[in-house]
Amino acid sequence: MLTLYHAPQSRSFRVLWLLEELGVSYAIQNVTIRRRGQGEPAPASYRQIHPHGKVPALVHDGVPVFETPAIALYLTDLFPDRGLGPLAGDPLRGPYLSWLAYSTGVFEPAIADGVRKIENEPGPFGWASIDEVLTVLSHRLHAHPYLLGEAFSAVDVVLGGSIQYLTRVGAMPETEPFASYIERLADRPALHRALQRDGGPLA
């Protein structure tokens, strides 16, 4: 049994989308979270699942998994026949793991620096400047339709979903190749099924 701990119109939308892409059975347990300091925090009992009381978290047969890249890796390894994550021994496994880690280890901190107008000098942190990150992603998406190359994968849900959302809210430029990439993602039927379950705008 898979249960997604989810807050509508939040970061956990990407895991909701991934579950729809996988086409597997799952349950949703909505969690109350603080949004920009507003609202009630998640109940204390939920911290047994996610130590910070945030979303997403996934529970599979009683075992919790939290952090979106970890959940994506867990799910694509659990359902290898769905073809959304290269397995060990596949030449794309290394790039797959790298881009999953990049999504929260490099991309999101760089975006946060950019939004807060914090200049990241080379060297002191484990991520790059927002300009460098956008250049890397731009080159990648100029060369390939998807982040792993020719085929859609869970990386396009995890990192691509963030690009999609951040472009919509103005935190990323609506320029090529990002605009074309977002259009490709918007054509995914699973994305629209997830939106119906989430009840929010395009995430």
Side-chain angles (χ1 to χ4, degrees), residues 50-94:
H50 193 303
H52 299 294
K54 295 182 178 291
V55 292
L58 183 80
V59 173
H60 177 219
D61 292 341
V63 177
V65 187
F66 59 92
E67 297 301 317
T68 301
I71 294 170
L73 179 60
Y74 186 90
L75 286 171
T76 55
D77 281 359
L78 187 63
F79 300 104
D81 59 310
R82 304 309 200 267
L84 290 177
L87 300 177
D90 188 314
L92 288 175
R93 178 70 169 189

Side-chain angles (χ1 to χ4, degrees), residues 45-152:
S45 59
Y46 179 59
R47 291 180 183 269
Q48 299 300 312
I49 296 171
H50 193 303
H52 299 294
K54 295 182 178 291
V55 292
L58 183 80
V59 173
H60 177 219
D61 292 341
V63 177
V65 187
F66 59 92
E67 297 301 317
T68 301
I71 294 170
L73 179 60
Y74 186 90
L75 286 171
T76 55
D77 281 359
L78 187 63
F79 300 104
D81 59 310
R82 304 309 200 267
L84 290 177
L87 300 177
D90 188 314
L92 288 175
R93 178 70 169 189
Y96 177 59
L97 298 179
S98 298
W99 286 114
L100 282 178
Y102 190 91
S103 66
T104 52
V106 179
F107 175 74
E108 289 186 7
I111 288 288
D113 282 353
V115 168
R116 294 179 294 175
K117 302 191 182 306
I118 297 173
E119 187 169 345
N120 179 8
E121 296 179 3
F125 301 110
W127 60 91
S129 71
I130 181 61
D131 290 340
E132 185 174 340
V133 166
L134 292 179
T135 297
V136 165
L137 289 171
S138 179
H139 287 169
R140 184 71 183 172
L141 292 170
H142 265 303
H144 306 283
Y146 298 104
L147 287 163
L148 284 191
E150 298 305 307
F152 177 88

Side-chain angles (χ1 to χ4, degrees), residues 4 12-22 26 152 156-158 160-162 164 185-186 188-192 194 203:
L4 170 64
S12 58
F13 176 81
R14 292 173 296 172
V15 177
L16 179 61
W17 176 13
L18 178 57
L19 286 162
E20 288 295 328
E21 290 283 356
L22 290 166
Y26 65 95
F152 177 88
D156 298 298
V157 175
V158 175
S162 292
Q164 186 182 62
L185 297 183
R188 306 288 302 180
L191 172 63
H192 295 277

Side-chain angles (χ1 to χ4, degrees), residues 4-8 28-32 43 55 197-198:
L4 170 64
Y5 287 80
H6 172 65
I28 294 176
Q29 180 67 53
N30 282 336
V31 178
T32 301
V55 292
R197 294 206 68 172
D198 183 60

